[in-house]
Amino acid sequence: MGKLRNTALILGEGPTEFYYFKSLCDIFKGLTIKPDYPKHTNIKDLDTKISEGVEMGFNHIFCIIDMDTKDKEPERSQYERLKKKYASPINKPKKGLFCEVNFFETHRCTELFFLYYFRYTSRSYVDQEQLLKDLNQSVEYRKTAEFFIKCKGLHSYFERNGGSLTSAIANAEHSIDEKRVHGRDYTYSELGRLMEELKRLEG
C-alpha cells in the first residue's frame, strides 16, 4: 500500500524553530509535520538528524538554517559540504525510501521571519540582540522555552498581536528578491518559500 500522506520532518538548529513549527501543525492539517532539532547546534549533529529522518521514512526533510553562525570558517565550508551531500534526492527503492532534503536559510536568524509578520526591514543587524530589540517593538518576545510554552503557540501568538503569516511570507519573498537584485548577503529569509512548499505538499 502506498503512502497516503506527505510527511515532512522539519529540522531547526534549536528550540526556537521546534516550537514555531510545532505551532504551525494546526495550519497544515493535511500534512504530517514533525519538528525536531539536534541536541548540539553543529553541522555533524544536523547531518545525523537528517540521516535518521531518511531511515524513518520521511519523504521531505526541511532544514532551517541560521546563517549568522555560518558566516565564518570552518562552519561555512562544513555547511556547504552538507548541502552538496544532499543536493540530489535519496532514493533507496529496496528499502522503500525516497527523500528530498532542502535547506532554507535566514540571516541573521529565524526571528527575522517573526519580525516579517509585522513589518519589512532590510536593515543590517550586527548581532541577534539588535534584531530581537526590533521584534520587541512590535510584539513581546523572549528567546526562552518558558516563553514559547507560555504564549501557547508562536504562530497564533503573533497573529493575536496583529501579525500575519501572509505578510511574513510576502516580506520574506521581498527580501529574497532584493538579495538577488542588490547582491546583499544579509537580512533575508527563505522561510516564505518553505511555507509555500508546505502549502503545495498539503494539497
Side-chain angles (χ1 to χ4, degrees):
M1 188 173 124
K3 286 181 182 169
L4 298 175
R5 293 165 71 91
N6 270 313
T7 56
L9 174 63
I10 297 183
L11 290 175
E13 293 184 87
T16 304
E17 294 79 16
F18 172 80
Y19 282 104
Y20 176 63
F21 282 96
K22 198 173 174 191
S23 77
L24 287 176
C25 288
D26 290 343
I27 307 291
F28 300 106
K29 289 187 169 65
L31 180 63
T32 302
I33 297 179
K34 182 183 185 292
D36 200 356
Y37 64 98
K39 290 287 180 280
H40 307 285
T41 56
N42 61 42
I43 295 298
K44 185 181 173 190
D45 287 328
L46 182 59
D47 191 7
T48 301
K49 279 283 184 190
I50 294 171
S51 299
E52 287 172 1
V54 172
E55 292 302 318
M56 286 163 67
F58 285 97
N59 45 17
H60 298 278
I61 297 178
F62 301 123
C63 301
I64 314 304
I65 305 295
D66 288 347
M67 292 304 287
D68 61 351
T69 57
K70 312 293 180 295
D71 281 343
K72 297 181 180 139
E73 297 295 351
E75 288 80 8
R76 184 183 309 203
S77 296
Q78 291 169 352
Y79 174 55
E80 289 303 322
R81 279 197 296 275
L82 185 70
K83 283 204 293 187
K84 199 172 284 185
K85 178 178 177 179
Y86 293 107
S88 299
I90 297 151
N91 192 7
K92 299 180 179 177
K94 285 183 181 173
K95 287 189 174 182
L97 298 175
F98 181 85
C99 182
E100 291 181 315
V101 180
N102 297 102
F103 296 83
F104 295 87
E105 302 167 356
T106 299
H107 192 284
R108 300 197 68 87
C109 54
T110 299
E111 277 80 7
L112 178 67
F113 189 70
F114 300 166
L115 179 58
Y116 282 167
Y117 266 74
F118 300 91
R119 64 182 179 86
Y120 181 74
T121 185
S122 59
R123 173 187 175 187
S124 176
Y125 292 99
V126 295
D127 56 34
Q128 278 195 27
E129 290 309 309
Q130 278 191 339
L131 174 54
L132 295 179
K133 194 173 173 185
D134 271 7
L135 178 56
N136 271 280
Q137 289 176 354
S138 296
V139 66
E140 185 190 352
Y141 178 84
R142 301 283 175 269
K143 197 167 181 157
T144 65
E146 290 79 11
F147 175 79
F148 298 149
I149 292 163
K150 186 181 123 190
C151 71
K152 295 183 168 55
L154 281 170
H155 164 71
S156 60
Y157 171 72
F158 294 144
E159 295 217 322
R160 285 197 308 273
N161 284 277
S164 157
L165 178 58
T166 303
S167 296
I169 293 169
N171 286 331
E173 283 300 295
H174 184 48
S175 76
I176 296 299
D177 290 341
E178 280 195 346
K179 176 180 183 281
R180 187 174 61 249
V181 171
H182 301 297
R184 77 166 189 252
D185 60 354
Y186 58 86
T187 317
Y188 62 87
S189 179
E190 294 180 337
L191 291 184
R193 293 181 177 179
L194 170 58
M195 298 304 168
E196 296 298 344
E197 183 67 10
L198 291 174
K199 285 180 192 173
R200 187 182 69 76
L201 292 177
E202 189 183 36

